[in-house]
Amino acid sequence: MNYSESISFLYAQLPVFHREGSKAYKPGLGNIEALCELMGNPERSFKSLHVAGTNGKGSSSHFMASILQEHGYKVGLYTSPHLHSFTERIKINGIQVAEKWVADFVSSRLDLIEKVRPSFFEWTVIMAFTYFKEQQVDYAIIETGLGGRLDSTNIITPLACLITNISFDHQDLLGDTLEKIASEKAGIIKSNTPVTISEKQTETSAIFIAKAESIHAPIQFASDVISASDFTFTSPTWGEMKVNSPYKGHYQQKNIRGVLAWCEQIQSIIPLEGAKIRKGIEQTRVNTGLQGRWEILGESPKIIADTGHNKSGITEIMQQINKEGFDHLTIILGMVVDKDIDSVLSLFPTEATYYFSQANNPRALSALELQKLAAAKGLQGKVVPSVNEAIALAKSHSGASDGILICGSTYLVGEITF
């Protein structure tokens, strides 16, 4: 099989969460334990750092990978989902795994798929672990896919853990309260392994403290370590540090503070330098290729794409949009069917113009249905199913001082072609 054939085969043969939703979710570590055992336990061959959370874990993972790259390390990075190409999920020093390697991996191990019957995600995890072992990375940043306790990535024994924001998402799988969701995320905390919590939240802090104390894991909250104001951070070791974030959404300040606190915590494990930490954060877009986070696609009118899709993420986006001062705002919106659509739609401004679109994904909510649900919230607009056609139409009706925002679905943003 070539690359395209191998990816099509995986989509056809394995349960795929990003296409099928909860029915494709396989909680538990049984399959990944079996795969790792059959593959010689590649996860034990490299040093890892583990990242979980509802929002911000992708950005934080990329920030840390870039920081380690600036210190001269060979850094593996595993994240999900991808925006444009499957190969985005597995990178070393920002370079995506080769399509041929993926095709060869799948073609030569069809017996494992038949024997274990893994999910798509479980298969990509063992693929990443094997690649990082073969390439002999110094460190690997491993982002959880969903939750933490039962996530396939939780088979690793990391040097340290980072848990970012906790908010409502995937309640049908992780629980219907922040406390329940936090308990699942806390599952990545390991015995005697340091953990940093990016945000101190009233509903969840006690959950993390109790878990850490029960297994003697050193724990800290970023706000207790790092002060932050307008992207100027002050830390015990490196003093005041002004960071020019490559991603201008103000919500990134929380992510950067969490990463800086994490850097403080792991000093005895991985010695880091302040100047290289700052450069690593500022060079993240170049070093790791992270896209879709307050990504500026054009000016006059300003076009912004953001993968924010749940209540917490959209709240942050709207706060940032309000600071832009556009004469008029057009929002190109798409969502998936298993999100809290009613709560999310309540966050959008009624004075904006809307184009309702849908990604080419089985989980995508139809643009027509989204239009009807939005109208009930006072959001008026027209259906333009293709996101790229919607962008072209929005540009033709916008002035130089107007803004265009594309959000609501990672998969919608992933279909933007310019």
Side-chain angles (χ1 to χ4, degrees):
M1 288 187 288
N2 61 27
Y3 171 74
S4 295
E5 291 168 341
S6 64
I7 295 299
S8 296
F9 171 81
L10 294 178
Y11 281 153
Q13 295 297 318
L14 304 181
V16 184
F17 183 86
H18 76 265
R19 295 175 64 85
E20 301 172 43
S22 59
K23 65 181 180 180
Y25 179 55
K26 289 190 174 183
L29 302 180
N31 278 353
I32 193 64
E33 288 172 345
L35 287 171
C36 285
E37 182 71 23
L38 291 166
M39 290 293 294
N41 295 112
E43 79 285 359
R44 300 176 186 173
S45 67
F46 51 84
K47 298 173 182 177
S48 61
L49 299 167
H50 209 182
V51 184
T54 306
N55 296 309
K57 65 182 185 291
S59 296
S60 298
S61 296
H62 281 77
F63 285 144
M64 181 55 79
S66 183
I67 287 169
L68 293 178
Q69 285 176 228
E70 288 295 332
H71 283 80
Y73 294 114
K74 186 175 185 179
V75 185
L77 177 61
Y78 175 74
T79 58
S80 63
H82 58 270
L83 277 182
H84 305 292
S85 170
F86 171 85
T87 55
E88 297 168 22
R89 294 172 180 242
I90 304 171
K91 298 179 181 179
I92 295 179
N93 284 11
I95 300 174
Q96 299 174 26
V97 62
E99 292 183 354
K100 184 179 185 305
W101 189 94
V102 172
D104 290 345
F105 183 89
V106 175
S107 299
S108 63
R109 294 175 175 87
L110 296 179
D111 58 323
L112 291 185
I113 292 179
E114 181 63 30
K115 184 173 184 177
V116 179
R117 301 308 299 171
S119 69
F120 182 88
F121 185 77
E122 289 165 339
W123 188 250
T124 63
V125 168
I126 190 62
M127 189 183 299
F129 290 169
T130 303
Y131 187 62
F132 295 156
K133 176 183 179 180
E134 288 184 6
Q135 297 298 314
Q136 298 181 316
V137 299
D138 296 312
Y139 297 100
I141 311 299
I142 307 296
E143 178 198 22
T144 60
L146 180 64
R149 181 176 64 93
L150 300 177
D151 189 81
S152 299
T153 65
N154 205 28
I155 195 173
I156 64 174
T157 303
L159 297 174
C161 301
L162 175 71
I163 300 177
T164 63
N165 162 279
I166 302 298
S167 57
F168 289 107
D169 205 3
H170 304 297
Q171 292 97 306
D172 56 332
L173 300 174
L174 303 181
D176 57 2
T177 68
L178 292 181
E179 291 87 350
K180 290 178 181 178
I181 295 171
S183 293
E184 291 298 316
K185 308 289 185 183
I188 73 165
I189 301 174
K190 303 294 191 300
S191 177
N192 298 300
T193 301
V195 57
T196 291
I197 312 299
S198 288
E199 292 189 47
K200 181 181 284 188
Q201 298 169 266
T202 303
E203 301 91 339
T204 61
S205 296
I207 303 292
F208 295 127
I209 292 171
K211 172 66 175 181
E213 289 182 346
S214 71
I215 56 176
H216 309 290
I219 184 172
Q220 66 174 14
F221 293 86
S223 59
D224 294 337
V225 181
I226 307 290
S227 65
S229 178
D230 195 26
F231 287 92
T232 295
F233 305 88
T234 304
S235 75
T237 300
W238 303 293
E240 185 175 292
M241 181 187 301
K242 176 68 175 179
V243 177
N244 295 312
S245 173
Y247 309 103
K248 298 304 181 183
H250 194 73
Y251 58 82
Q252 292 291 3
Q253 181 167 274
K254 299 177 183 179
N255 296 329
I256 293 172
R257 179 164 64 178
V259 168
L260 290 176
W262 203 25
C263 288
E264 283 276 1
Q265 189 183 42
I266 64 175
Q267 277 295 294
S268 62
I269 303 171
I270 311 174
L272 301 170
E273 301 174 23
K276 292 180 180 178
I277 290 171
R278 179 172 55 80
K279 185 178 180 183
I281 294 170
E282 294 179 344
Q283 291 295 308
T284 300
R285 190 187 298 274
V286 174
N287 286 348
T288 71
L290 177 63
Q291 296 178 297
R293 275 68 169 182
W294 202 259
E295 188 169 2
I296 309 301
L297 303 177
E299 299 283 355
S300 303
K302 192 171 190 176
I303 305 173
I304 303 160
D306 197 292
T307 55
H309 55 271
N310 54 33
K311 187 175 181 180
S312 178
I314 296 298
T315 297
E316 297 281 3
I317 292 172
M318 289 300 104
Q319 290 174 351
Q320 185 69 27
I321 278 288
N322 290 336
K323 297 177 182 179
E324 293 288 337
F326 294 125
D327 286 350
H328 185 70
L329 176 65
T330 297
I331 297 178
I332 300 170
L333 185 63
M335 298 188 71
V336 296
V337 295
D338 50 5
K339 297 298 179 183
D340 185 0
I341 296 169
D342 186 71
S343 295
V344 171
L345 289 176
S346 298
L347 301 172
F348 287 98
T350 57
E351 64 271 17
T353 297
Y354 289 86
Y355 294 135
F356 302 103
S357 298
Q358 65 189 77
N360 182 25
N361 183 292
R363 288 171 61 206
L365 180 67
S366 79
L368 183 60
E369 179 64 20
L370 181 57
Q371 181 192 41
K372 293 177 181 177
L373 294 172
K377 298 291 184 181
L379 312 179
Q380 302 299 322
K382 63 187 299 183
V383 169
V384 184
S386 164
V387 65
N388 293 296
E389 290 179 11
I391 292 172
L393 189 60
K395 286 178 65 177
S396 69
H397 288 87
S398 297
S401 299
D402 293 339
I404 300 170
L405 171 68
I406 307 103
C407 67
S409 165
T410 299
Y411 313 115
L412 189 75
V413 172
E415 292 182 4
I416 299 173
T417 57
F418 74 97

